[in-house]
Amino acid sequence: APGSSGETSNIFHEYFQRIAYSMDMNILLLAMSSILLRAGNSHFHRSHWEVACQDYVSAEFYRSLRFSAFLLRETGRQKSRDDGDRKVALNNFINHDAWYEVSAVLEGLISNNMASAKSNRHMYEEARAEYTEALRIKQSALQALHGDNSEEGQPTLSSLSTHVKDDDLVSDIATTLHNIGLLRSKCGEPKKAEKAFTQSLSLRVKKFGLDDPGVSTTLRALGDLYFNEKRYDDSFRSYKESLRICKLHCGIPDLNAAELYYNIGLVFYSKGPYSKSKVSTMECLRIRREHCGNNNLNTASALYLLGLISSAMGEYDDAINQFEEALAIRRNIIGIKSPNHLLLINVHVALGNVHQLNGDFDSAMDSYSLCLKERSERLGKHHPSVSEVLQLIGVAYITAAEYSKAMETLEEALRIRQSLLGPSMEVAETLDSLGLLYFKSGDTEKAVELSEDSLSVLKSAVGFDHVLVSKVLKNIGDYYQDAEVYDDAIEAYSESIRVKTLWYGRDHTLLSEVLNEMGITRFKKGDYMIARQSFSQALRIMRADKNASNKSLIFPTLTHLGHALYKNRDFKLAAETYLESFNIQVSIITGEENLGIQGFSEKLTSIAKRAIAMEEDDNDFAFLSESLGGIASILRYLGLVYHEQGDIETALTVNKL
C-alpha cells in the first residue's frame, strides 16, 4: 500500500498505470488473488483461522488492485471523476475485459470465506458485516448476469454468461445464506438463523431440486438448530430428509450418513422412544467402525451414546461394555497426554451411574469420587457439571440408606443448579431426589410437596411427555399410596404409564413396576378385580423373553396376583399362582428347580445345615433369612387357599412346613 509521502504515492500511481496497460500483469494479479484464496481455504480447513484471515486479506488486496487499475485506465488521470465517468469506465471495462465477472465472483467468495474465518475466531460483528457484503456482491452479480439491473447506467453481464454460470452464482448465494444462518445460531438468534437457512433452502430447491447435496447440508444445519431449541420433531424431519439425500448421492453410507444417524439417535434419546435411538446409533457405529476403524474418537462417541441409551433402557451389562470400550479408545488416543481429560471423565460419570443402577455401590462411588475431584479442579466447584456428579452421589447415598450424607450432597447440588440454571430439568431432578429422601426418612408429606414442585418445574421446562416426568409421577404415586390417598396415587400411576410407554414401548420391564404398584393400590382400595388385571398385565411384560431372566422380579407380583385371586374367591387359580411364586423363591435360594411342596420338604434339611454353618453377620445369612421368611409367608397363604378348597390334609402339611 502507498506510504504517506507524495513521492511514494506517485510511484504507486505509476505502478497502477503499468498494471492497467499490461494484460499479463492483470492476469497475474487475478491468479495471485485466486491462489491466496485457496491458501486461506487450506488454513481454514486446518482450523488456522487467523492465518486464513491474513490470506483472505491479501487475496482481496490483489483482486481490488487489478480492478482499480482498470478503472484508472478507462478514466485517465482525471482529478475529478463524477459518477457518470465511473459508470462509463465500468461499462468499458466489462465490454473489453472478459474477466470482469470472474473478479466479481472472486470478491464474493473472499468476503464469504473471510466471514466464516472471523466467525470461528468469535469475531461475530465483523463476520456479520463480511457476510452482508458477500451477499450484496453476489446478488448484484446475479442481477447483472440476468440483465435486470433497474438503475440507469448500471452494466449488464448477459453477454458474458459463458464465463460465470447462473448456477454457480445461485449456489454461492445459497451458501452465504447458509453461513449467515450458522452465524446467527452461534450468536443466539434462532429465529433469524432459521430464516437464513430457509432462504438458502428455497434458493437451492428452486434452482437445483429437492435432491441437491447442498439441500442436505442446510437441512442438517437446520436440524441442529431445531435440536438445540428442543424442537425434536422438526429436528428429526430435517435430519431424516438430509439423510435421504445423502444416501441418494453416496450410495454406500459414508461418514456424512453416519453423522446423520448419530444426530437422529440423539433426537430419539432426547424425545423417545429409546428403541429408535438405539437402532439409529447402532447404524452410526457400524458405519464408523467400517470407515474409521475401532480406534477412533468418532467410534468412541457412538459407543458412548449407545451406552447412555442402554443404561436408560436398563440393559446395564451392555452399557458397561460400551462405556468401557469407549473409555479404552479415548485413553489410547487422548489419555496418554491428558490422563484426566474431560472426555474421559464424562465416561467415568456414565459408568458410575450404571454401576449404581446395577447395585454396585462401591464401584459407583469410586467413579464419582474421581469425577467430582477432576471436574471441581478444572471447572470450579460452582459449575453445572459438578452439580451433576453431586446429584448422582446423593442418589447413591439414598440407595445405601446413608440419608444424612444424601441430604447434604443433594442440597449442595440443588443450590448450584438453582443459582446457575433456574427452573430447569436439572433442578426438577434434584427436587424429586430430595422428595425420595424424605419419603425414605419417613416424612411422606414433605416428599409429596417436593415431588409436586419437581413436577411443576419439569412440565414448564420440558413439557408433559419427558421421561423424567414418568419417573416423578411414579414416585408421587408411591407417596400417595403410602398416605392412603388411593385415587391420587392411581391417577399418578396412570399418567406415568402413559409417558413411559412413549419412551420404552409397551413391553419394557419399567412399565411392569408401575403396573404392579397400580395393582397394589387397587387391592388396598378393595378393587380386587381391577387389581387382578394390573398384576396380570405386569406379569405379561415380565414373562416376555427379554425380561424373563430375572425371576426375582416376578415372584412378588405373582404373590400379589394370588392375593387378588383369593379375594375374588378364585381359589383354584390362586393356589396355582401362589405355588408358582413359591417354586421360584425356593429355586433362588437352592440354585435348582423346585417342583412343589414335596420337593421343598426334601430340601429343608440341606437348607438348615447351610444356615447353621453361616455367621449371623454374614450377608449370605441375611439374604437366606429374608428369603426363608418370604417362603414361610407364601406357604401360609397356600394353606389358607387349600383350606378354602376343603383340602385339609394338604393345608396341614403346608402349615407344618
Side-chain angles (χ1 to χ4, degrees):
S4 57
S5 68
E7 181 182 358
T8 305
S9 296
N10 288 333
I11 294 172
F12 191 75
H13 196 74
E14 292 174 6
Y15 175 59
F16 256 23
Q17 283 186 302
R18 288 198 299 272
I19 294 172
Y21 290 97
S22 171
M23 183 58 69
D24 289 341
M25 285 294 293
N26 182 270
I27 294 173
L28 179 60
L29 285 174
L30 189 61
M32 289 176 69
S33 178
S34 182
I35 291 168
L36 283 163
L37 171 63
R38 284 162 174 76
N41 292 345
S42 178
H43 285 119
F44 183 95
H45 291 300
R46 296 173 66 185
S47 302
H48 298 164
W49 317 121
E50 187 173 356
V51 180
C53 284
Q54 293 170 1
D55 288 338
Y56 294 142
V57 168
S58 299
E60 174 57 18
F61 173 76
Y62 285 114
R63 189 211 62 78
S64 62
L65 184 64
R66 167 185 178 269
F67 184 71
S68 299
F70 260 93
L71 287 181
L72 181 63
R73 184 188 73 180
E74 297 301 327
T75 58
R77 300 185 64 178
Q78 302 170 21
K79 292 183 179 181
S80 174
R81 304 186 186 104
D82 58 26
D83 288 341
D85 290 330
R86 184 173 178 82
K87 289 174 183 176
V88 170
L90 185 55
N91 269 314
N92 289 338
F93 175 45
I94 293 167
N95 293 331
H96 293 96
D97 179 24
W99 290 87
Y100 171 78
E101 75 278 19
V102 176
S103 179
V105 171
L106 187 61
E107 183 181 8
L109 287 173
I110 293 169
S111 291
N112 181 80
N113 295 2
M114 173 74 85
S116 297
K118 287 184 175 179
S119 176
N120 283 306
R121 293 177 66 190
H122 307 290
M123 300 166 64
Y124 296 134
E125 289 305 316
E126 294 90 336
R128 195 192 308 268
E130 289 285 354
Y131 278 136
T132 302
E133 179 64 10
L135 193 60
R136 184 194 64 77
I137 293 166
K138 293 176 182 181
Q139 288 176 333
S140 295
L142 183 63
Q143 290 171 355
L145 184 64
H146 288 162
D148 53 2
N149 272 312
S150 57
E151 295 184 35
E152 185 181 354
Q154 283 292 315
T156 65
L157 302 181
S158 54
S159 62
L160 301 173
S161 59
T162 55
H163 298 281
V164 176
K165 295 181 179 178
D166 176 89
D167 290 359
D168 293 338
L169 276 173
V170 171
S171 180
D172 284 348
I173 292 170
T175 298
T176 300
L177 286 166
H178 172 95
N179 291 339
I180 289 172
L182 294 177
L183 177 63
R184 295 289 193 184
S185 184
K186 286 181 181 179
C187 293
E189 301 172 340
K191 289 185 178 179
K192 291 181 178 179
E194 182 180 8
K195 180 180 178 182
F197 287 138
T198 303
Q199 289 174 330
S200 176
L201 282 173
S202 178
L203 271 179
R204 286 197 180 277
V205 170
K206 184 177 180 181
K207 187 67 178 178
F208 307 111
L210 290 168
D211 298 336
D212 180 64
V215 172
S216 176
T217 301
T218 302
L219 280 169
R220 182 190 303 184
L222 196 56
D224 293 342
L225 176 70
Y226 290 146
F227 181 84
N228 292 330
E229 290 293 298
K230 295 182 172 58
R231 294 168 58 180
Y232 298 125
D233 290 338
D234 291 334
S235 180
F236 169 63
R237 282 191 286 269
S238 295
Y239 288 144
K240 183 181 178 183
E241 179 63 9
S242 178
L243 180 61
R244 181 193 69 79
I245 299 168
C246 180
K247 290 166 71 175
L248 185 68
H249 288 276
C250 69
I252 300 173
D254 61 3
L255 290 176
N256 288 325
E259 183 72 16
L260 287 162
Y261 276 117
Y262 181 87
N263 292 347
I264 291 171
L266 275 177
V267 168
F268 283 113
Y269 179 71
S270 302
K271 73 178 283 288
Y274 287 130
S275 57
K276 290 187 177 180
S277 179
K278 183 176 181 179
V279 169
S280 189
T281 307
M282 288 183 70
E283 180 63 10
C284 166
L285 179 61
R286 183 192 68 78
I287 298 170
R288 286 182 174 177
R289 285 193 194 276
E290 183 178 318
H291 287 269
C292 305
N294 292 324
N295 192 35
N296 181 273
L297 287 177
N298 287 327
T299 302
S301 295
L303 282 164
Y304 177 70
L305 177 56
L306 198 57
L308 293 176
I309 297 163
S310 297
S311 176
M313 296 180 73
E315 299 167 356
Y316 302 133
D317 291 341
D318 288 344
I320 289 172
N321 290 335
Q322 288 150 0
F323 285 138
E324 287 182 344
E325 186 178 354
L327 186 61
I329 295 170
R330 288 180 175 178
R331 275 177 177 161
N332 189 47
I333 296 174
I334 61 179
I336 297 174
K337 292 183 178 179
S338 303
N340 294 320
H341 194 283
L342 287 177
L343 281 176
L344 301 175
I345 298 303
N346 292 344
V347 184
H348 280 295
V349 172
L351 265 173
N353 187 42
V354 178
H355 287 311
Q356 176 189 317
L357 294 169
N358 212 22
D360 189 348
F361 176 79
D362 291 337
S363 296
M365 290 304 295
D366 287 343
S367 293
Y368 292 153
S369 298
L370 170 66
C371 298
L372 185 62
K373 174 179 178 294
E374 292 299 327
R375 283 188 174 180
S376 297
E377 289 179 357
R378 288 170 174 264
L379 305 172
K381 293 183 178 180
H382 197 65
H383 191 277
S385 294
V386 173
S387 74
E388 178 192 10
V389 183
L390 289 169
Q391 163 71 27
L392 292 168
I393 291 173
V395 173
Y397 280 139
I398 294 175
T399 305
E402 298 186 23
Y403 298 142
S404 60
K405 291 181 179 179
M407 181 68 73
E408 180 183 354
T409 308
L410 288 172
E411 285 182 342
E412 177 63 11
L414 183 63
R415 184 186 66 80
I416 296 172
R417 288 180 162 185
Q418 285 180 327
S419 65
L420 295 179
L421 305 175
S424 60
M425 183 175 69
E426 291 78 11
V427 168
E429 180 185 32
T430 307
L431 286 170
D432 179 61
S433 297
L434 282 166
L436 179 62
L437 174 58
Y438 276 100
F439 179 70
K440 295 280 188 179
S441 302
D443 191 343
T444 303
E445 184 177 350
K446 184 66 173 178
V448 170
E449 178 188 337
L450 285 167
S451 289
E452 290 285 6
D453 288 346
S454 169
L455 191 63
S456 177
V457 172
L458 199 56
K459 288 183 175 180
S460 174
V462 294
F464 291 82
D465 295 335
H466 194 274
V467 66
L468 188 55
V469 172
S470 71
K471 177 178 177 289
V472 175
L473 285 166
K474 162 65 167 58
N475 289 342
I476 290 174
D478 292 345
Y479 308 154
Y480 280 131
Q481 183 193 148
D482 182 74
E484 299 183 359
V485 186
Y486 297 133
D487 288 340
D488 288 349
I490 290 168
E491 182 181 350
Y493 288 140
S494 298
E495 184 64 7
S496 177
I497 289 170
R498 182 191 69 79
V499 179
K500 282 186 186 296
T501 302
L502 294 176
W503 286 78
Y504 297 100
R506 300 178 61 85
D507 297 323
H508 196 277
T509 185
L510 287 176
L511 269 77
S512 67
E513 294 176 13
V514 188
L515 284 165
N516 187 61
E517 293 300 328
M518 173 86 85
I520 292 171
T521 306
R522 293 286 192 186
F523 185 89
K524 289 179 177 179
K525 192 182 177 187
D527 296 335
Y528 303 125
M529 185 60 71
I530 302 176
R532 172 183 176 176
Q533 293 173 1
S534 295
F535 293 134
S536 297
Q537 288 177 331
L539 283 169
R540 178 191 63 79
I541 295 172
M542 291 177 179
R543 284 172 167 153
D545 290 340
K546 62 181 180 180
N547 303 325
S549 58
N550 193 348
K551 293 184 177 180
S552 63
L553 296 176
I554 294 178
F555 77 78
T557 304
L558 281 167
T559 302
H560 293 315
L561 178 59
H563 296 339
L565 291 166
Y566 178 81
K567 288 291 186 179
N568 283 315
R569 304 191 66 78
D570 191 342
F571 299 126
K572 183 175 182 299
L573 192 53
E576 293 175 0
T577 304
Y578 282 140
L579 192 59
E580 184 181 355
S581 174
F582 169 77
N583 285 333
I584 291 173
Q585 292 182 68
V586 174
S587 69
I588 289 173
I589 65 170
T590 62
E592 56 188 46
E593 187 179 7
N594 187 72
L595 299 174
I597 303 300
Q598 186 61 40
F600 176 67
S601 179
E602 295 169 357
K603 295 170 183 174
L604 265 180
T605 303
S606 63
I607 293 173
K609 288 180 179 179
R610 278 178 58 200
I612 292 169
M614 291 179 180
E615 299 290 338
E616 288 193 12
D617 59 352
D618 192 321
N619 289 334
D620 290 338
F621 180 84
F623 170 75
L624 181 60
S625 175
E626 184 180 349
S627 299
L628 288 172
I631 290 172
S633 177
I634 200 72
L635 284 169
R636 184 173 71 85
Y637 291 123
L638 270 171
L640 289 172
V641 173
Y642 288 136
H643 183 270
E644 291 287 353
Q645 289 180 300
D647 189 348
I648 306 301
E649 183 177 351
T650 305
L652 286 171
T653 301
V654 167
N655 284 328
K656 287 178 182 179
L657 285 172

